[in-house]
Amino acid sequence: MTATALHPIPPHKPLQLPGLHGYADAKTVAAGELVRFHVSSDVPYEFAVCRLGSDVEGRSDDVALEAFAPYQARVQPIHPGSYVHVERGLPAGLPLRGLSFECWIKPWTVDVRQTIVSQHDDDDAQRGFAFFIEPGGALSFHLGDNAAPSHGRLAARRWQHVAATWDGEFATLWIDGGCVAQWPARQAVEPAAAPLRLGASAIDGLADLFLEADLVMPALYDRALSGSEIAARHGQRGLQIATGRSVLACWPLREERGAQVADASGHQRTGRIVNHATWMIVGPAFEPGKVGQYEEDESPYDPLHDPTRGHGLRFAGDDLYDCRWDAVHAFRVPDDSRSGVYVGRARFDIEGRKADYDITFIVRKPAHVAPAPILVLCAVNSWLAYATTPFAKNVVDDPVWPRRSEGLENSHPDAPAYSSYVYHRHGQPCYQVGLRMPWPNASPNALYDPAESGFSQWTRLERHLHVWLDKQGYDYDVIGDIDLHRDPSLLARYKTVVVNGHSEYWSLPGVEALDDFLKRGGSAVVLSGNTMYLRVSYDEDFTVMEQRKVNGPDHDDTRSPVGPPAGAFGEQYHSQDWARGGRLKASGRPAGEIIGLETAGWAFADGDDFGVYHVELPAHGLFNEPQPLGLGKGDTFGHAPGGGLPRAIGHEWDLTLSTLAKMTKCAPPGASLPFAQEGIEVIAKGIRRVPGKLDAYLDYYSRPTESLDGLSAEMIYWERPQGGRVFHAGAVGAAWVIGSDPLFGQLLGNVLHRFGIAPRNSMQAPTGKTAT
């Protein structure tokens, strides 16, 4: 089976990948729907679709629903690199009498050759004009066969105005309004029979030499601008559109989202963005002081009504959000399939050993089928945010992803390897990730630092709960939080929702849906830490997820931040909806007001970083009804028998507002600490007695602080005054101990009992055959 990929692009430099890589056309599908698998492989392989079984640490009882005939090697290239393709360029073959191009530019690197603008192909017959940044930062302006030497020097990570002019006799280069070079250029110049491109040129007809920079107000003219005109454009700081009869094209870049770039000259040289690029980038005139640093600032900033913000578009040579591969396998999920986590599994040889490559996807229950009482939410948003090295080198053994998900060894040095935790190759912060891409971190075999601890996040972590629910006989349905974003009404069908794993990234529709569900009397079991911390959004066709982390207004942008990769202050506004991103507090939806706890820190060093729960309220009903746990004050749980791993309190964790207030030494100017929520009962405290080497404790404003004697997480029960009940375990590791700690399992059973959920009388046996 072969299906042609959607959204073809103009001819583009391909990159051939070694190994086997793949993705499904959707991250979640309903039973009865067709799921397609897009695979590139340089080796033959076998392929099957499997429902994951009860063996979280292996594959011993996965159920194969369909096995496909062996498939021969077929490599499908990727085409990374963003630029603007302008189909209606200057008329080819029509001699020019003069030419100028000017713009504001912020290069992220000056170490590689890159194109600012071109209508040019390095093929001898198609040499028109091109404006390059050469290695070292010098500029070069190519006019036909005139291979001009490079001149001047641009600085990396700083806004500069550049211009190249030609009057029929001389070519001239300008930086920040000053002439840096001039040389004779008396040859005839004709536009090449090639597309006009912003941010790329062509080699042998293929887009290449991609720009690694931010661009503001690019403009093209049919004459040489004078020195005074260039100085005036420099003084306008990229805020005024180029006007006059000599303007051949001017792209103000005011769209701030989408794939189209309008031309304001009247010549209709509309551009199409290839490989997405990044909108909502502040320009050289932006004033950071206009944007409040903290969410509590009284004067809300509107980026669309800031006349000095500027309209930047960011390019990267490794931008890729859709592989555009053909689908090579298709499977219609049976109508009666259980909701849960499934994989498309490719099996192949690596140096004489069998290796499996799993393409994870979720099967939802169809809307017309009666729901189970429990809805389990998979943290798909977080799986996507952490999807570094989508084209990681294939391995046989379970891979261990390094801290902050810096990625595995890449299969090709030029393959994209960025994520919400890793910069683009030349330092651009990553604000978006693609859904039509491989996500090997979401494989059920993926482990996570600390190495040798057996800890995992993403799919493998969350499956501990799924398996426990199966073994205890609970009926439940599974969706991804991306489904909640798409259809917030989903929750209304259920008695309780379980937020599971490392559920860090939430969209506003998802947050509102959970809050509304609780207000209507619903209940939530939160087995997560760092929960509901950062905001995401999606484009209209659900191919790109966006998130934004930025530094403070006083950060030196020439230096990398301490902590997760972040961009320039002012760029926290999403291109999908133009609303502020970053912490959900900035959207007026802090997690503490909805589920009782807020993010309070993290640790990554080694297995000893993980602590345990200590009972605070032994007489609380959740420790006694209907099953007494026999725990006294100070007794521990949330660990394997004997106190070993797995232990619950580690990786990342959450605390109540009242505790965070005690850890906050002072509030920022103009801000005040929130009031503690009414009715929260802290039934247990998560303690980490021994500090780890990479500990980070955060105050209410996410600033570094000190712990309160190792207090890292709080387990709460909250009957919300605004409606709804919440049990929150407060730590990413909570899901890890399910199935290992009988006491934690009994507590979870008591929680579900209080929320009106009972197990069925007998377990339903899975159908199909065991995968081999």
Side-chain angles (χ1 to χ4, degrees):
M1 178 269 176
T2 300
T4 303
L6 300 175
H7 312 299
I9 59 175
H12 197 112
K13 178 184 178 181
L15 181 64
Q16 308 286 338
L17 297 169
L20 188 148
H21 314 276
Y23 59 94
D25 61 346
K27 301 306 184 188
T28 77
V29 298
E33 292 182 347
L34 191 71
V35 58
R36 299 176 181 86
F37 300 94
H38 307 250
V39 180
S40 172
S41 178
D42 63 359
V43 295
Y45 63 93
E46 301 170 351
F47 193 80
V49 177
C50 305
R51 186 186 192 281
L52 300 181
S54 62
D55 183 3
V56 176
E57 307 302 328
R59 301 175 174 85
S60 63
D61 61 349
D62 294 348
V63 177
L65 304 180
E66 182 171 337
F68 294 75
Y71 199 81
Q72 296 304 307
R74 181 193 174 191
V75 174
Q76 302 199 61
I78 57 174
H79 302 86
S82 57
Y83 71 99
V84 175
H85 178 95
V86 182
E87 189 65 36
R88 186 175 183 174
L90 305 189
L94 183 65
L96 298 172
R97 290 180 292 183
L99 189 69
S100 294
F101 178 86
E102 53 93 11
C103 68
W104 281 89
I105 193 167
K106 178 183 176 181
W108 284 91
T109 181
V110 292
D111 295 336
V112 297
R113 193 177 197 221
Q114 50 192 298
T115 312
I116 302 174
V117 66
S118 76
Q119 190 170 332
H120 176 89
D121 194 316
D122 266 8
D123 183 299
D124 289 341
Q126 299 296 333
R127 290 186 175 176
F129 64 89
F131 193 14
F132 296 107
I133 302 174
E134 302 293 347
L139 296 172
S140 66
F141 187 28
H142 288 239
L143 296 162
D145 293 328
N146 184 309
S150 55
H151 303 275
R153 178 178 289 275
L154 294 181
R157 304 191 181 197
R158 184 172 68 81
W159 280 110
Q160 294 134 103
H161 182 265
V162 298
T165 67
W166 175 67
D167 62 4
E169 293 191 6
F170 292 93
T172 310
L173 292 174
W174 310 77
I175 297 178
D176 286 337
C179 175
V180 296
Q182 187 178 73
W183 65 95
R186 296 185 175 88
Q187 76 281 2
V189 177
E190 299 177 355
L196 178 61
R197 299 178 175 96
L198 297 172
S201 186
I203 297 177
D204 295 330
L206 303 177
D208 202 338
L209 301 175
F210 301 105
L211 187 62
E212 307 283 356
D214 302 347
L215 201 62
V216 162
M217 198 64 75
L220 187 66
Y221 306 77
D222 67 2
R223 63 177 178 85
L225 297 181
S226 67
S228 61
E229 288 174 312
I230 290 172
R233 292 296 287 166
H234 172 256
Q236 291 165 8
R237 305 289 286 168
L239 299 177
Q240 295 186 27
I241 295 172
T243 58
R245 297 180 61 183
S246 65
V247 179
L248 296 171
C250 178
W251 299 275
L253 306 178
R254 290 178 174 174
E255 292 81 1
E256 298 292 16
R257 66 180 176 193
Q260 297 297 311
V261 173
D263 170 24
S265 73
H267 293 291
Q268 300 181 1
R269 292 193 166 95
T270 301
R272 170 195 173 189
I273 300 175
V274 175
N275 283 334
H276 212 268
T278 303
W279 288 107
M280 293 297 285
I281 301 303
V282 296
F286 172 66
E287 301 170 10
K290 290 185 176 182
V291 183
Q293 182 172 3
Y294 294 96
E295 295 83 356
E296 295 78 9
D297 289 313
E298 295 181 356
S299 300
Y301 171 81
D302 184 350
L304 301 184
H305 292 86
D306 178 1
T308 62
R309 179 181 174 85
H311 304 279
L313 185 61
R314 176 168 294 156
F315 300 95
D318 57 351
D319 265 336
L320 185 67
Y321 305 93
D322 183 348
C323 290
R324 301 183 181 87
W325 289 344
D326 292 342
V328 295
H329 309 288
F331 174 73
R332 186 167 297 281
V333 181
D335 293 340
D336 59 351
S337 295
R338 292 180 59 194
S339 179
V341 180
Y342 290 66
V343 297
R345 177 165 295 160
R347 180 161 290 178
F348 56 102
D349 289 330
I350 296 180
E351 298 178 351
R353 299 176 65 194
K354 289 292 183 182
D356 288 330
Y357 182 99
D358 285 342
I359 301 171
T360 300
F361 66 102
I362 294 167
V363 172
R364 312 184 307 270
K365 182 171 284 186
H368 65 273
V369 178
I374 302 172
L375 180 65
V376 177
L377 201 64
C378 287
V380 170
N381 297 336
S382 293
W383 300 358
L384 287 166
Y386 280 88
T388 316
T389 48
F391 309 101
K393 182 179 179 181
N394 299 140
V395 295
V396 175
D397 299 320
D398 291 356
V400 179
W401 290 69
R403 61 182 55 91
R404 297 202 187 281
S405 193
E406 293 176 355
L408 303 177
E409 181 181 355
N410 215 349
S411 65
H412 191 289
D414 295 331
Y418 56 85
S419 73
S420 299
Y421 294 86
V422 175
Y423 290 99
H424 285 266
R425 182 174 301 114
H426 291 293
Q428 300 94 319
C430 171
Y431 292 155
Q432 52 206 7
V433 293
L435 276 70
R436 296 179 62 84
M437 300 274 288
W439 57 347
N441 64 302
S443 167
N445 74 329
L447 294 165
Y448 195 78
D449 259 354
E452 311 301 329
S453 69
F455 177 69
S456 60
Q457 59 169 329
W458 316 308
T459 309
R460 188 166 180 157
L461 171 67
E462 297 184 32
R463 289 223 315 121
H464 287 276
L465 171 67
H466 302 180
V467 170
W468 182 86
L469 290 170
D470 285 333
K471 290 182 177 178
Q472 300 302 315
Y474 288 99
D475 287 323
Y476 65 99
D477 296 336
V478 177
I479 64 169
D481 44 21
I482 185 175
D483 298 308
L484 193 57
H485 172 92
R486 186 184 286 114
D487 182 7
S489 68
L490 281 171
L491 294 184
R493 308 178 69 209
Y494 295 89
K495 285 187 175 182
T496 195
V497 60
V498 182
V499 178
N500 193 25
H502 190 176
S503 191
E504 176 180 3
Y505 293 85
W506 282 66
S507 71
L508 284 178
V511 172
E512 298 292 351
L514 180 59
D515 194 26
D516 289 345
F517 170 71
L518 292 170
K519 286 178 179 177
R520 294 193 304 269
S523 56
V525 178
V526 184
L527 302 174
S528 169
N530 187 214
T531 316
M532 205 179 284
Y533 185 53
L534 296 168
R535 185 174 88 86
V536 299
S537 60
Y538 287 89
D539 61 356
E540 292 182 355
D541 57 0
F542 285 89
T543 60
V544 174
M545 184 187 82
E546 184 172 8
Q547 66 78 35
R548 302 240 171 177
K549 302 184 185 80
V550 299
N551 297 302
D554 300 323
H555 177 76
D556 181 356
D557 289 335
T558 64
R559 298 183 178 181
S560 297
V562 177
F569 190 76
E571 293 179 359
Q572 54 265 58
Y573 294 87
H574 285 219
S575 62
Q576 313 296 356
D577 54 18
W578 303 323
R580 184 164 176 160
R583 295 189 294 270
L584 276 157
K585 294 177 188 177
S587 302
R589 305 303 285 148
E593 294 183 0
I594 300 169
I595 52 176
L597 302 179
E598 290 277 357
T599 290
W602 50 74
F604 297 96
D606 52 51
D608 289 339
D609 283 347
F610 287 85
V612 299
Y613 291 107
H614 296 249
V615 175
E616 186 71 11
L617 298 178
H620 196 278
L622 292 182
F623 289 129
N624 297 280
E625 302 167 1
Q627 187 167 0
L629 274 61
L631 292 171
K633 184 175 175 61
D635 288 348
T636 66
F637 65 101
H639 52 76
L645 293 173
R647 293 193 293 269
I649 313 303
H651 190 59
E652 305 199 29
W653 50 77
D654 302 338
L655 291 167
T656 59
L657 298 186
S658 58
T659 298
L660 284 170
K662 296 175 185 176
M663 298 168 64
T664 303
K665 298 177 181 178
C666 64
S672 58
L673 289 168
F675 294 105
Q677 311 97 313
E678 295 181 8
I680 287 184
E681 299 174 278
V682 178
I683 66 172
K685 293 183 177 181
I687 307 294
R688 300 170 61 254
R689 295 293 187 195
V690 180
K693 292 179 290 186
L694 298 176
D695 285 5
Y697 285 90
L698 306 178
D699 70 6
Y700 176 75
Y701 299 98
S702 293
R703 301 173 305 187
T705 188
E706 298 174 355
S707 75
L708 302 177
D709 297 324
L711 175 62
S712 301
E714 289 172 299
M715 177 180 284
I716 66 166
Y717 176 70
W718 186 25
E719 295 189 357
R720 306 189 334 157
Q722 64 269 48
R725 296 175 291 176
V726 175
F727 169 82
H728 196 329
V732 171
W736 189 24
V737 300
I738 298 174
S740 297
D741 177 10
L743 290 172
F744 195 92
Q746 292 167 15
L747 172 62
L748 187 55
N750 286 351
V751 171
L752 293 174
H753 173 80
R754 175 166 291 206
F755 291 164
I757 310 295
R760 59 186 180 274
N761 293 328
S762 60
M763 294 185 63
Q764 179 180 348
T767 59
K769 59 185 179 181
T770 299
T772 58

